[in-house]
């Protein structure tokens, strides 16, 4: 088949497009979307009885007279495969998760590229951006970035980009990391939990943001204030309120005020990671009204879970910042509705089960992190549909906006010229979360046994099905499109 000619057409009665949901036929050539056309005119073929695609002259062996290719896919007039989704399926853009801790190299026993990206694909995520910490070495200089890319090569089932890290003393390394293709720089304002990635102080944050502004990059901030946390009672024991009190909303509010001040002073772009405390929303709204270039993400666990429901000793729910009360959760949903929060990403942060202290349930000793990259879409959709949101909203929060904020080219929407990263999603289908069916390395999850809406039936990366077998993902660099 000549280059540029259609190789695949996916027809669906509901396709989530940038201008709304409608029936359409998405044509794929050389891994890109070449056309989004009418549902009944896929690749120029006419439509036979029952909506079956009819090939040249009406000859063929299918029930509607069409030719049938491997796996039951219909074959169009140019030899392209024509796949028609089931009536209960919706075609979504592949999701873009810009907050994933893969941990390889150095802590591959926590999670590695093969397992993390297999889980992502199973959850309808076709692009991830890897966080710079929890691996050894952390991605704080060009040499560490090279090591990480070498480790990832040949292992990834979805496309993978990389964030750079900003720690004390790393200002001199930022330009080389930027040249190496990182999508931006992450900094902590409180203890990160790993000694290789110390936090920056207020002056250090200002220096990082100034350097990022000079590079035209973005700074991502884990926004909890160390002084507020130090003044709070330390967490201990099995009671969740003890842990929650150790990281109060005031820690987020104080840290976000610092980020806003630095971004406003320098004109740099800043991004608030995993917003948990709704008390910070007025600060963010006011900053945006003044033109400060600041964006905000939250995570599935803050939108689906509530502090009141966390049992004693249930350390699988521990994360930082913590899950807060139901009333706080509803304010986060409202902020998604009005656009104060831009996007929803997983903050997939795994560890070996022993580090979660499941046996003794000690919230003070347990690692703080939730592994949810495979479940993000159904978790968010289950909650969103109850509040009157649509799949348009899901595609914006979990595909288009993360891609835009990170600057991941060619991703996040179903439109001509972009990568053919696509997901067949059954929004009304249901399933019970069985940890043994999760693909990430360790099967610890706070969602075990929950009934969720929305099943990912198939995932395509640049028009190729992702089935967890041979890895076909590519490593991304800022400003470059995939091949």
């Amino acid at each position: 088949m000549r280059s540029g000619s259609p190789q695949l057409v996916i027809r669906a009665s509901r396709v989530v497009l940038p201008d709304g949901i409608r029936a359409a036929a998405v044509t794929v050539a050389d891994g890109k979307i070449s056309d989004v056309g009418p549902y009944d005119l896929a690749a120029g073929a006419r439509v036979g009885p029952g909506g079956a695609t009819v090939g040249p002259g009406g000859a063929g062996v299918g029930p509607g007279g069409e030719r049938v290719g491997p796996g039951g896919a219909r074959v169009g007039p140019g030899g392209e495969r024509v796949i028609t989704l089931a009536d209960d399926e919706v075609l979504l853009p592949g999701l873009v998760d810009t907050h994933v801790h893969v941990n390889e190299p150095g802590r591959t026993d926590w999670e590695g590229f093969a397992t993390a990206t297999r889980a992502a694909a199973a959850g309808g995520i076709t692009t991830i951006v890897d966080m710079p910490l929890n691996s050894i070495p952390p991605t704080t200089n060009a040499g560490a970035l090279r090591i990480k890319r070498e480790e990832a090569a040949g292992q990834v089932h979805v496309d993978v980009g990389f964030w750079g890290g900003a720690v004390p003393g790393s200002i001199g390394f930022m330009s080389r990391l930027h040249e190496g293709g990182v999508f931006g720089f992450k900094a902590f304002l409180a203890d990160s939990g790993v000694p290789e990635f110390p936090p920056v102080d207020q002056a250090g944050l200002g220096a990082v943001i100034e350097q990022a502004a000079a590079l035209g990059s973005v700074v991502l901030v884990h926004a909890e204030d160390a002084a507020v946390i130090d003044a709070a009672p330390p967490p201990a024991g099995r009671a969740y309120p003890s842990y929650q009190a150790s990281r109060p909303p005031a820690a987020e509010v104080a840290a976000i005020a610092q980020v806003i001040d630095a971004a406003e002073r320098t004109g740099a772009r800043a991004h608030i990671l995993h917003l948990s405390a709704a008390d910070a929303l007025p600060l963010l709204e006011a900053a945006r009204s003044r033109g400060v270039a600041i964006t905000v993400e939250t995570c599935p666990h803050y939108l689906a879970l509530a502090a009141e429901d966390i049992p004693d000793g249930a350390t699988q729910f521990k994360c930082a910042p913590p899950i807060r009360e139901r009333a706080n959760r509803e304010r986060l949903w409202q902020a998604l509705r009005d656009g104060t929060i831009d996007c929803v990403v997983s903050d997939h942060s795994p560890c070996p089960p022993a580090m979660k202290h499941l046996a003794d349930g000690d919230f003070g000793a347990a690692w703080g992190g939730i592994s949810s990259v495979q479940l993000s879409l159904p978790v968010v959709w289950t909650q969103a549909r109850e509040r009157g949101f649509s799949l348009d909203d899901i595609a914006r929060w979990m595909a288009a906006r993360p891609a835009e904020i990170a600057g991941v080219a060619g991703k996040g929407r179903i439109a001509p010229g972009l990568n053919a990263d696509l997901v067949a999603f059954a929004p009304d289908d249901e399933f019970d979360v069985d940890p043994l069916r999760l693909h990430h390395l360790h099967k610890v999850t706070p969602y075990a046994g929950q009934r969720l809406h929305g099943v990912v039936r198939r995932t395509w990366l640049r028009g190729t099905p992702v089935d967890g077998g041979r890895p076909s993902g590519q490593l991304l660099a800022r400003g470059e499109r995939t091949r």
Side-chain angles (χ1 to χ4, degrees), residues 261-354:
D261 177 70
E264 192 164 22
R265 180 165 39 81
T266 61
R269 285 198 304 132
H271 180 74
I272 301 299
L273 296 166
H274 46 49
L275 181 70
S276 161
D279 287 352
L281 291 168
L283 279 178
L284 292 161
E285 292 167 356
R288 285 183 163 177
S289 72
R290 300 194 303 271
V292 180
I294 193 162
T295 51
V296 187
E297 71 184 37
T298 192
C299 304
H301 36 280
Y302 302 129
L303 298 171
L305 305 174
E308 296 95 329
D309 302 325
I310 298 176
D312 287 352
T315 51
Q316 64 269 34
F317 289 85
K318 181 180 177 180
C319 57
I323 295 159
R324 305 193 190 276
E325 297 84 0
R326 292 189 197 97
N328 181 91
R329 178 182 67 189
E330 296 313 309
R331 291 172 66 192
L332 296 180
W333 277 108
Q334 181 56 42
L336 276 168
R337 191 182 297 277
D338 65 29
T340 305
I341 296 176
D342 297 89
C343 61
V344 183
V345 292
S346 70
D347 190 11
H348 179 76
S349 185
C351 69

Side-chain angles (χ1 to χ4, degrees), residues 51-117:
T53 303
V54 179
V61 297
E66 73 284 6
R67 292 188 290 135
V68 179
R74 305 309 185 227
V75 179
E80 66 277 5
R81 291 177 298 125
V82 180
I83 296 172
T84 301
L85 299 193
D87 290 342
D88 67 337
E89 294 178 341
V90 178
L91 191 65
L92 286 173
L95 304 188
V96 178
D97 189 342
T98 53
H99 196 147
V100 178
H101 294 267
V102 175
N103 308 336
E104 187 175 7
R107 291 191 175 99
T108 313
D109 58 326
W110 293 23
E111 185 80 281
F113 285 104
T115 49
T117 58

Side-chain angles (χ1 to χ4, degrees), residues 67 207 335 362 398 425 463:
R67 292 188 290 135
D362 186 343
M398 303 184 76
F425 182 63

Side-chain angles (χ1 to χ4, degrees), residues 82-311:
V82 180
I83 296 172
T84 301
L85 299 193
D87 290 342
D88 67 337
E89 294 178 341
V90 178
L91 191 65
L92 286 173
L95 304 188
V96 178
D97 189 342
T98 53
H99 196 147
V100 178
H101 294 267
V102 175
N103 308 336
E104 187 175 7
R107 291 191 175 99
T108 313
D109 58 326
W110 293 23
E111 185 80 281
F113 285 104
T115 49
T117 58
R118 190 179 290 114
I125 295 166
T126 51
T127 303
I128 67 169
V129 186
D130 172 61
M131 281 294 167
L133 71 155
N134 298 352
S135 59
I136 302 174
T139 316
T140 54
N141 58 62
L145 175 63
R146 183 179 63 255
I147 291 169
K148 183 164 278 196
R149 291 180 67 93
E150 289 171 353
E151 291 286 337
Q155 289 201 73
V156 296
H157 295 269
V158 302
D159 288 351
V160 178
F162 303 93
W163 297 113
V167 298
S170 70
I171 296 296
F173 300 108
M174 289 176 63
S175 62
R176 290 286 304 278
L177 272 172
H178 184 72
E179 292 167 5
V182 298
F183 287 88
F185 299 90
K186 179 178 183 176
F188 275 75
L189 297 182
D191 182 13
S192 72
V194 292
E196 317 84 39
F197 206 97
V200 298
D201 58 17
Q202 190 168 356
L205 174 66
V208 167
I209 285 185
E210 286 179 5
Q211 177 69 1
L215 294 170
S217 190
V218 61
V219 176
L220 291 69
V221 185
H222 180 121
E224 288 184 285
D225 184 81
V228 174
I229 292 174
D230 288 345
R238 294 173 52 82
Y240 182 72
S242 168
Y243 173 64
Q244 191 182 8
S246 75
R247 304 185 89 101
E252 288 187 74
V253 173
I256 287 170
Q258 295 176 40
V259 177
I260 290 170
D261 177 70
E264 192 164 22
R265 180 165 39 81
T266 61
R269 285 198 304 132
H271 180 74
I272 301 299
L273 296 166
H274 46 49
L275 181 70
S276 161
D279 287 352
L281 291 168
L283 279 178
L284 292 161
E285 292 167 356
R288 285 183 163 177
S289 72
R290 300 194 303 271
V292 180
I294 193 162
T295 51
V296 187
E297 71 184 37
T298 192
C299 304
H301 36 280
Y302 302 129
L303 298 171
L305 305 174
E308 296 95 329
D309 302 325
I310 298 176

